Amino acid sequence: MSRDPAAPPPPREAQPGTAWASGSVTAAIRQVAFVAAAAWQLVMVLVTLASVGGAGWGLAVAQGVVAVLAIVALRRPMPAYLVPGLAAALGTCGYLVSRDIDSALSFAACWQINFASCIALLLIARRAVIVAVVGQALLAALAILTVLPEWGPQMPFSIAVSQVSIVVVMRLGLPRLMRVSAEADAAAGAADAAELRLRVSALLGARIAEETRTLHDTAINTLGAVANGTAGIVEGGQVRDQCARDVVLLETMRDDRSVPRTLALRDIFALPGLPIVRGGAQDAELDRAAARLSEEATAGIVGCVREALTNAAKHSGAERVAIDATVGGAELVIRVEDRGRGFAGPSPGDRGIATSIRARASDHGLVAEVDSAPGRGTRVEITAPFAPVRDPAPEMARTDAEVHEVSARLLRRAGLLWGMGVTVVSVLLTATGSANVGNALLPMIVLMLAAWAAAWGGTRGRPGSRLLGSTVGRTLLAGVLALCTLAVFVLSAAATGFGGLGAVYWQALAPTGPLVMLLALRPGRKVAVAAMTAWALLVLALAAFVAPDATAAQIIVLAGIVGVGFSAVWGRFQTLLVAQAERGFRDRARALDARIAVDAAAAARTSYLRWLDAGLDSAIELLRGIAEGSRGVAAAATRAACAEEEQYLRQLVQISPEFVRLGRGLMAALREARDRGVPLVLRAGGPDAPDAATAEDVSGVLLSAIRGTPPGEALHVSLFPLGSGMQLTVSGASLEAPAALAAVRGSSRFERLGSVALLELTYTGEERSSDPEPREVPHERSRSVPRLPRRGRRGSPAAAGAD
């Protein structure tokens, strides 16, 4: 069955937590509805037995069964209309058992039917509930006309009018209440989606950054050591072992089926390089320290130490290196020290200190210090603070603030809707002939409208309501609404001769309008309890001193129970709403964290495509030859090949890890240029491409330009951010304008300046994809990674800058 478009939408599966506000409202309504149904059934049991005695035992038992069903429905699912449907049917039975229109049981039965209709409309979001409520009201009216004709037509007519009024008011008001929660859900969904994209991109960027540093620390350094001849001072077996490890690393980086093992903290003493002299904490103490560090921090420590050891082996000239681990109360300190030649001033650019030690440490929450002097050696100190016990206070404060803001809006809207709703129902019932002794209903309605206007003005934050925005003003407004509640109750009682004339027409919920609006202001427990206590005392006073007889006194008390009880239920709804909102908000945060973890893991699994496009085949083949002994470490051909591979890999690691979308395309372009013998000078800076579509366009243009350039002819490319978009500039002697130049989003320019052609494309950054990871880039090769032909290697220059 299709949903009614006017009904409040149920929570839906969307972005993490986007239905937290609507779900909180729905859950609070459901709990309160069933609790109220159970409580009222118990009241009905007492009223039935007090009114008709033994003749009402059957009805009382049935009412008790409905109360039990309502309690069970709080924990177990059951048909939504079961409890309100049975309650409405028992209300009709109450009329028939009582047979006295002025009895307390008839009065209570009237409110039984009203409450049953309200509960059904709250619990069921389908249009069919309207037919069920109106149909049951017509059946009750028909039963009275048939079995109790002496009551006349006014009572059945009043039942029909009451139910129709309830349907109209509820169906108009509830969607407006849910609109507030829907707006909160939409805002939460947008915020979650943005945070999801940012955090996944950041996590993927961090993974790429670590892979880039690891590539630098291992294969690039190994190739550089062989090319420079420094590997010759290390025992040949160690060099071959390192090359074998580098082969495994490179194959892992480009294989989606492999997951690199995270080294343990104790593994720093087994890293390759110079002989290690160990000091400080032993394995057991290190293992306890590692348990207090995050996996990211441990990986950062291992990476920093590995680079420090590599630098010592390559540059220090020392015979050994010392590693000392000190475990303190709040931090772990690792010192790597050699007694080699050292260096003066800023760290040399060829030692990876800036990127592979300091930057890595910063990215992993560590502190790295490098101290060196000529003739004194070099000391690298890495400090890793232990993760403190997480203080939930900031998160709780943020949660409380957002929950308070949303729940306050919901409660204000709900209070105003209820206040206007009961006022409209009072107008309709008065117009259709409700009991109105002394025209008391007219000033009652005027007073209800005045109370609603005061509450509306006090919650709108209008310039004229500054007084009401203060503590004094809110207290004043609360006092006015409390007095209106008492006055409306007295006037509604007077309209029925204080329970002595036409009590079944008593508008007992009318006083709840001002009081609910008062509760919606969240004035504090003391003010709320004081207001309801004053109302209860007024009820008792009227029953004791004003009621014309005992039956009228019972009716006054029942009317008070209806009003005060409903207000108490409303207060419970407010408490539940806030509690559900807090739970929903935290569930939303947990769902977002889980979604980020899943999406980040999925995105990380695609990082291998970046290295797959990079063309690591030749480096793997070269390192494998050294590891297997088919290539001599000191051979001139081996050293020349290693120099070439080192140069190319350094080009690759110059591509910023922040280029999550652009990275694959740029690496594919470098590979294409290398294979075609096209010297490519690439300068790229700034943040990533604004969207996946721009990244695709950039890579397509670059690949097209490279493929149109003859071997040996240089191609210059610069790529930098421009506003919210990006500007690509390509220059070369044989450059041609792309065929799809007109399709570029933004401006484009192609012209010849003497012997050089210039292509300038500006991408405006119009979002076409929300995916954090880049899409497939145009490429001619199969993903099976065959052995590639390599032409013109000598003409391939390094990208700007080198570590």
Side-chain angles (χ1 to χ4, degrees):
M1 181 180 296
S2 62
R3 287 189 69 258
D4 179 1
R12 58 187 177 85
E13 292 295 329
Q15 291 289 344
T18 54
W20 75 278
S22 297
S24 301
V25 175
T26 302
I29 286 175
R30 183 178 182 277
Q31 290 189 45
V32 167
F34 284 123
V35 169
W40 183 252
Q41 293 310 301
L42 297 179
V43 172
M44 289 297 299
V45 169
L46 297 176
V47 173
T48 298
L49 295 178
S51 296
V52 296
W57 274 108
L59 178 60
V61 170
Q63 291 162 345
V65 170
V66 175
V68 172
L69 287 175
I71 294 173
V72 172
L74 287 170
R75 299 293 181 185
R76 296 181 178 274
M78 61 177 57
Y81 198 72
L82 180 62
V83 170
L86 291 175
L90 293 180
T92 302
C93 293
Y95 287 133
L96 303 181
V97 170
S98 171
R99 306 189 70 86
D100 181 3
I101 195 172
D102 293 322
S103 70
L105 180 55
S106 294
F107 178 83
C110 174
W111 285 103
Q112 171 97 336
I113 295 175
N114 291 341
F115 288 153
S117 298
C118 290
I119 291 171
L121 290 163
L122 287 172
L123 293 178
I124 304 173
R126 295 186 296 273
R127 187 180 286 111
V129 71
I130 301 175
V131 177
V133 169
V134 175
Q136 195 134 354
L138 294 177
L139 289 176
L142 181 61
I144 292 173
L145 286 172
T146 304
V147 181
L148 302 170
E150 65 272 17
W151 284 17
Q154 177 62 32
M155 181 62 183
F157 178 72
S158 177
I159 292 175
V161 170
S162 297
Q163 301 312 298
V164 171
S165 300
I166 290 172
V167 168
V168 171
V169 170
M170 295 282 291
R171 297 292 291 181
L172 290 177
L174 194 56
R176 286 166 173 77
L177 171 62
M178 297 302 291
R179 191 174 299 154
V180 175
S181 62
E183 291 170 355
D185 289 339
D192 286 356
E195 185 171 0
L196 179 68
R197 289 194 297 270
L198 288 174
R199 289 177 61 183
V200 169
S201 293
L203 290 171
L204 182 55
R207 177 188 174 98
I208 293 172
E210 184 58 29
E211 290 175 339
T212 300
R213 293 189 186 106
T214 301
L215 178 62
H216 171 275
D217 299 347
T218 54
I220 291 178
N221 279 335
T222 300
L223 291 169
V226 174
N228 297 330
T230 55
I233 67 173
V234 182
E235 197 272 328
Q238 293 186 25
V239 176
R240 288 193 293 273
D241 289 344
Q242 181 60 48
C243 289
R245 283 189 290 266
D246 292 345
V247 168
V248 173
L249 170 72
L250 294 180
E251 289 181 334
T252 298
M253 289 173 62
R254 66 173 198 169
D255 188 352
D256 62 330
R257 296 167 298 177
S258 300
V259 178
R261 181 177 73 90
T262 300
L263 296 179
L265 194 56
R266 61 168 70 180
D267 290 335
I268 60 176
F269 301 105
L271 290 171
L274 296 175
I276 294 173
V277 178
R278 177 174 178 173
Q282 297 304 303
D283 285 350
E285 190 175 5
L286 278 179
D287 290 343
R288 288 193 296 271
R292 301 174 64 185
L293 296 171
S294 66
E295 183 176 332
E296 291 77 10
T298 300
I301 292 172
V302 173
C304 290
V305 172
R306 180 171 52 207
E307 178 63 10
L309 292 174
T310 300
N311 284 336
K314 287 173 61 177
H315 306 292
S316 72
E319 296 182 354
R320 63 183 58 85
V321 65
I323 300 181
D324 182 83
T326 303
V327 180
E331 63 188 19
L332 168 69
V333 179
I334 305 291
R335 296 179 184 86
V336 182
E337 188 170 3
D338 65 67
R339 297 295 182 182
R341 59 178 61 96
F343 58 86
S347 59
D350 61 345
R351 302 196 183 187
I353 292 175
T355 57
S356 290
I357 296 182
R358 289 196 176 102
R360 172 185 269 136
S362 177
D363 288 350
H364 291 78
L366 313 173
V367 177
E369 296 180 358
V370 180
D371 180 37
S372 184
R376 187 167 57 85
T378 302
R379 179 175 58 84
V380 177
E381 182 174 288
I382 301 122
T383 302
F386 293 129
V389 177
R390 189 176 61 86
D391 182 8
E395 179 183 345
M396 293 289 291
R398 186 172 68 89
T399 299
D400 291 344
E402 185 163 349
V403 168
H404 175 77
E405 179 184 356
V406 173
S407 59
R409 290 175 56 207
L410 283 167
L411 293 175
R412 287 196 299 267
R413 175 70 65 86
L416 291 171
L417 287 171
W418 179 259
M420 180 53 67
V422 294
T423 303
V424 170
V425 171
S426 294
V427 171
L428 292 174
L429 293 177
T430 301
T432 55
S434 182
N436 191 9
V437 176
N439 287 324
L441 293 181
L442 296 180
M444 182 192 79
I445 292 173
V446 171
L447 196 57
M448 292 172 70
L449 288 171
W452 186 90
W456 179 81
T459 58
R460 293 286 290 180
R462 301 168 68 86
S465 63
R466 291 181 180 177
L467 175 62
L468 298 178
S470 65
T471 302
V472 174
R474 289 173 62 85
T475 304
L476 177 63
L477 177 59
V480 169
L481 293 175
L483 292 176
C484 286
T485 300
L486 302 180
V488 169
F489 182 78
V490 171
L491 290 171
S492 66
T496 62
F498 294 95
L501 181 62
V504 291
Y505 304 109
W506 191 335
Q507 299 183 29
L509 284 182
T512 64
L515 187 56
V516 163
M517 290 186 290
L518 165 62
L519 296 176
L521 295 175
R522 306 297 299 277
R525 183 181 297 272
K526 291 182 179 179
V527 175
V529 171
M532 286 191 279
T533 301
W535 188 357
L537 293 175
L538 176 62
V539 169
L540 296 177
L542 292 178
F545 303 111
V546 182
D549 53 43
T551 301
Q554 292 178 8
I555 291 174
I556 290 175
V557 171
L558 279 174
I561 291 175
V562 169
V564 177
F566 178 86
S567 300
V569 168
W570 186 276
R572 177 60 179 164
F573 165 71
Q574 293 191 168
T575 301
L576 283 173
L577 176 62
V578 174
Q580 289 287 347
E582 290 175 348
R583 186 179 300 114
F585 187 91
R586 293 190 176 98
D587 288 346
R588 165 197 164 197
R590 285 192 290 270
L592 177 61
D593 288 341
R595 176 69 179 276
I596 288 171
V598 170
D599 284 9
R605 286 194 295 272
T606 67
S607 69
Y608 81 95
L609 296 172
R610 183 184 183 103
W611 304 110
L612 192 63
D613 286 328
L616 303 178
D617 310 72
S618 55
I620 292 173
E621 181 181 309
L622 176 59
L623 290 168
R624 182 179 286 118
I626 298 174
E628 294 174 350
S630 61
R631 283 180 173 268
V633 175
T638 301
R639 293 177 60 184
C642 287
E644 183 179 339
E645 290 300 331
E646 180 198 13
Q647 182 185 51
Y648 177 64
L649 293 184
R650 286 190 182 277
Q651 281 186 292
L652 297 180
V653 298
Q654 292 306 308
I655 297 176
S656 171
E658 294 182 5
F659 287 170
V660 173
R661 298 186 181 96
L662 279 170
R664 286 188 59 198
L666 295 181
M667 285 190 170
L670 287 173
R671 177 182 184 177
E672 188 78 14
R674 180 192 195 194
D675 291 341
R676 292 179 178 271
V678 175
L680 178 64
V681 181
L682 173 65
R683 296 179 179 86
D688 196 13
D691 52 67
T694 297
E696 287 183 4
D697 291 345
V698 169
S699 62
V701 169
L702 289 182
L703 290 172
S704 176
I706 292 168
R707 290 165 185 163
T709 301
E713 182 178 297
L715 193 65
H716 294 259
V717 177
S718 64
L719 185 65
F720 292 98
L722 184 65
S724 61
M726 180 164 284
Q727 186 175 76
L728 171 66
T729 303
V730 185
S731 62
S734 302
L735 185 65
E736 298 291 341
L741 190 61
V744 175
R745 294 164 294 137
S747 62
S748 59
R749 181 168 67 97
F750 180 81
E751 61 179 301
R752 288 203 166 271
L753 305 174
S755 61
V756 178
L758 177 68
L759 172 65
E760 185 177 270
L761 304 177
T762 301
Y763 297 90
T764 58
E766 297 171 3
E767 187 73 24
R768 284 199 262 169
S769 171
S770 61
D771 297 335
E773 61 272 358
R775 298 180 180 178
E776 295 292 331
V777 296
H779 210 286
E780 293 178 343
R781 299 177 178 84
S782 165
R783 293 304 181 194
S784 60
V785 196
R787 181 71 178 92
L788 299 172
R790 303 178 57 201
R791 298 173 292 149
R793 296 180 185 176
R794 298 292 179 188
S796 182
D803 187 12

